[in-house]
């Protein structure tokens, strides 16, 4: 993964976190507003105290259940998204490791080829040097005669 991809992934992750945080704040504000509005409406309704308290209790329980369901759904969505991001990251990491291993093997093959070529060149140079030495020795022998 290139550095720019990693930076972009980090930015997307931060935006995702901000959206979730903003969504939760919005939900909290909405739930609070509903609770206050509902309570105010029930309090100002022309009913007896017992009926009003029972209505408030029922309203509270209903809204609590709704809030729990919304929170459960939000948590599941976040977990699903996080798992998807994790899976993609793991796959990208595995791909990067595979590519690195391939490059490592290719580099080792090239290094071995270079070593073999160097050895062959050295052997050839050694043989040529020996031939040249033999020729020089023959010329010295001829010159002595």
């Amino acid at each position: 993964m290139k550095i720019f991809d990693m930076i972009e992934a980090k930015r997307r992750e931060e935006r995702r976190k901000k959206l979730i945080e903003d969504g939760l704040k919005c939900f909290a504000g909405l739930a609070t507003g509903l609770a206050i509005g509902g309570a105010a409406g029930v309090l100002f309704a022309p009913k007896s105290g017992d009926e009003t308290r029972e209505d408030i209790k029922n309203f509270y329980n209903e809204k609590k259940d709704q809030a729990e369901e919304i929170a459960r759904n939000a948590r599941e969505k976040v977990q699903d998204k996080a798992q998807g991001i994790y899976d993609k990251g793991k796959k990208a990491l595995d791909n990067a490791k595979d590519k690195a291993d391939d490059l490592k093997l290719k580099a080792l093959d090239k290094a071995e080829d270079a070593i073999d070529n160097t050895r062959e060149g050295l052997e050839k140079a050694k043989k040529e040097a020996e031939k040249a030495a033999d020729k020089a020795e023959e010329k010295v022998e001829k010159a002595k005669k």
Side-chain angles (χ1 to χ4, degrees):
M1 189 177 252
K2 294 182 180 177
I3 188 76
F4 295 110
D5 293 337
M6 290 172 44
I7 291 170
E8 184 59 31
K10 182 69 175 171
R11 285 182 184 155
R12 280 187 296 224
E13 178 68 16
E14 289 174 2
R15 275 187 252 138
R16 185 187 65 78
K17 285 180 182 177
K18 178 112 172 77
L19 284 173
I20 290 171
E21 185 179 301
D22 290 348
L24 291 175
K25 286 179 183 177
C26 180
F27 171 73
L30 178 65
T32 302
L34 284 172
I36 291 171
V42 171
L43 289 173
F44 292 110
K47 293 184 180 180
S48 71
D50 288 339
E51 288 177 347
T52 301
R53 283 189 289 280
E54 185 64 30
D55 287 347
I56 291 172
K57 179 180 159 188
N58 291 338
F59 177 80
Y60 169 78
N61 288 333
E62 180 183 320
K63 295 307 172 187
K64 182 182 91 166
D65 292 342
Q66 289 175 355
E68 288 172 350
E69 180 65 25
I70 290 169
R72 189 174 22 262
N73 289 339
R75 183 176 54 249
E76 288 173 3
K77 285 181 183 180
V78 168
Q79 287 173 340
D80 289 345
K81 291 280 187 182
Q83 185 63 45
I85 291 169
Y86 172 81
D87 291 343
K88 285 180 184 178
K90 185 168 180 0
K91 183 178 179 181
L93 180 61
D94 290 343
N95 287 341
K97 285 180 180 178
D98 290 343
K99 286 181 182 181
D101 288 343
D102 289 344
L103 289 173
K104 179 182 171 183
L105 290 176
K106 285 179 184 178
L108 287 173
D109 287 343
K110 295 233 182 230
E112 287 175 359
D113 289 346
I115 289 170
D116 291 343
N117 289 339
T118 302
R119 282 186 183 142
E120 289 172 7
L122 287 173
E123 286 296 321
K124 186 177 177 182
K126 181 181 175 184
K127 287 178 183 177
E128 288 177 10
E130 288 173 353
K131 283 182 187 178
D134 289 343
K135 284 183 183 180
E137 200 175 301
E138 285 176 11
K139 287 184 181 181
V140 169
E141 288 298 320
K142 279 185 184 179
K144 285 185 183 180
K145 292 183 183 182

